[in-house]
Amino acid sequence: SDGSDGGDDNQIIAGTAPGFEPFEMTRDGELVGFDIDLLEAVVDETEYELAEWNEYEFDSLIPALENGNIDVIAAAMTITEERQQSIAFTEPYYSANQSVLVQSGGDFAPEALEDLEDREVGAQSGTTGETVVQEQLIDEGLISDDQYTSYDNYVYAVQELERGLLDAIVIDEPVGATFADSRDVEVAFTFETGEEYGFGVQQDASDLQTALSDGIAAVRESGQYDEITQTWFDS
Ligand code: ARG
């Protein structure tokens, strides 16, 4: 450091969006989850130091990264071409598909997206689940704009689903399955999207990008990746 900015160049700030179990959530006031443990283990393999975690709504993470308020996004964020227009990603660290959640024990049992016709559907703002709703339900004329509700956080969507205010939620499958374990909701069906999560970094941060990608490979090799997976997923 040159000392003028009061910080060390190797100190990085991470941003996440809790309410996405088991990847990131708040428990007893503490930020915990798969992404939290994984990024910390990965950064430990590099010459960087993780100074701080900041919490945002999911759709504010990319702006926060672009503004330089954070250096890395760890938020179960799917690597997409659209996002790669504004940010860069590490190598993938987790694969996921999408699922549709419904109220438990209700009589609505959709088996495919077409079955959501004329239903009230929810997703989190800025997610790939929302893109599915937009492109495969609204654009296809299966539901109207008014039948879609966008939430800042999936936790609110799940609460409304439990109360019967929504018919269905589109959500990443591992997270839908986790909500189904603890809430009055169930996974009606899953569908393949082949998504891969990466840590997001600024487009000009290629040193950090490479260090984190190498770190991911190192924690896979050392067995830490499997340990963290076992901590956060029943297996
Ligand atoms: N994987 C999905 C996406 O990239 C959902 C991520 C939501 N993450 C969160 N921390 N709320 O859009």
Side-chain angles (χ1 to χ4, degrees):
S1 165
D2 62 10
S4 62
D5 58 4
D8 287 315
D9 286 345
N10 69 343
Q11 301 257 317
I12 55 172
I13 299 175
T16 191
F20 206 64
E21 303 179 21
F23 294 97
E24 39 267 344
M25 63 264 198
T26 309
R27 259 190 209 161
D28 303 323
E30 228 194 301
L31 181 66
V32 298
F34 178 91
D35 282 341
I36 312 308
D37 286 353
L38 182 65
L39 184 66
E40 285 176 358
V42 165
V43 173
D44 270 347
E45 300 289 334
T46 71
E47 77 264 28
Y48 293 92
E49 264 172 53
L50 192 45
E52 212 181 300
W53 281 95
N54 289 348
E55 297 175 25
Y56 296 86
E57 301 298 0
F58 185 74
D59 64 6
S60 301
L61 283 166
I62 290 180
L65 183 65
E66 289 183 292
N67 292 339
N69 294 330
I70 55 177
D71 303 294
V72 55
I73 296 171
M77 187 175 276
T78 304
I79 300 167
T80 68
E81 274 179 27
E82 194 193 337
R83 290 172 180 158
Q84 282 170 324
Q85 307 297 310
S86 47
I87 67 169
F89 286 95
T90 61
E91 289 296 316
Y93 66 82
Y94 198 87
S95 304
N97 292 308
Q98 293 286 315
S99 64
V100 167
L101 277 184
V102 298
Q103 218 178 2
S104 313
D107 19 79
F108 182 45
E111 290 172 358
L113 286 173
E114 299 79 68
D115 298 335
L116 300 183
E117 182 165 12
D118 268 327
R119 295 289 181 155
E120 298 289 332
V121 180
Q124 184 178 28
S125 177
T127 60
T128 49
E130 178 169 75
T131 305
V132 168
V133 172
Q134 186 63 52
E135 292 178 355
Q136 300 187 55
L137 297 177
I138 299 174
D139 293 354
E140 292 295 321
L142 287 167
I143 67 169
S144 67
D145 272 321
D146 292 349
Q147 288 171 315
Y148 172 57
T149 309
S150 172
Y151 295 87
D152 285 342
N153 198 305
Y154 269 118
V155 171
Y156 307 138
V158 169
Q159 283 165 0
E160 300 226 324
L161 184 62
E162 284 181 308
R163 296 171 58 203
L165 298 171
L166 281 178
D167 296 310
I169 293 173
V170 180
I171 186 167
D172 294 31
E173 191 277 332
V175 181
T178 305
F179 277 125
D181 284 342
S182 61
R183 311 294 291 258
D184 261 350
V185 298
E186 61 191 33
V187 176
F189 65 94
T190 66
F191 56 102
E192 206 167 311
T193 54
E195 290 173 62
E196 297 202 291
Y197 301 164
F199 297 125
V201 296
Q202 285 148 8
Q203 278 187 332
D204 59 5
S206 55
D207 288 351
L208 178 59
Q209 182 187 22
T210 304
L212 294 177
S213 289
D214 290 350
I216 292 168
V219 301
R220 282 190 199 275
E221 238 164 84
S222 70
Q224 286 177 92
Y225 184 95
D226 289 338
E227 277 172 34
I228 294 167
T229 303
Q230 266 159 28
T231 302
W232 296 106
F233 293 90
D234 307 328
S235 49

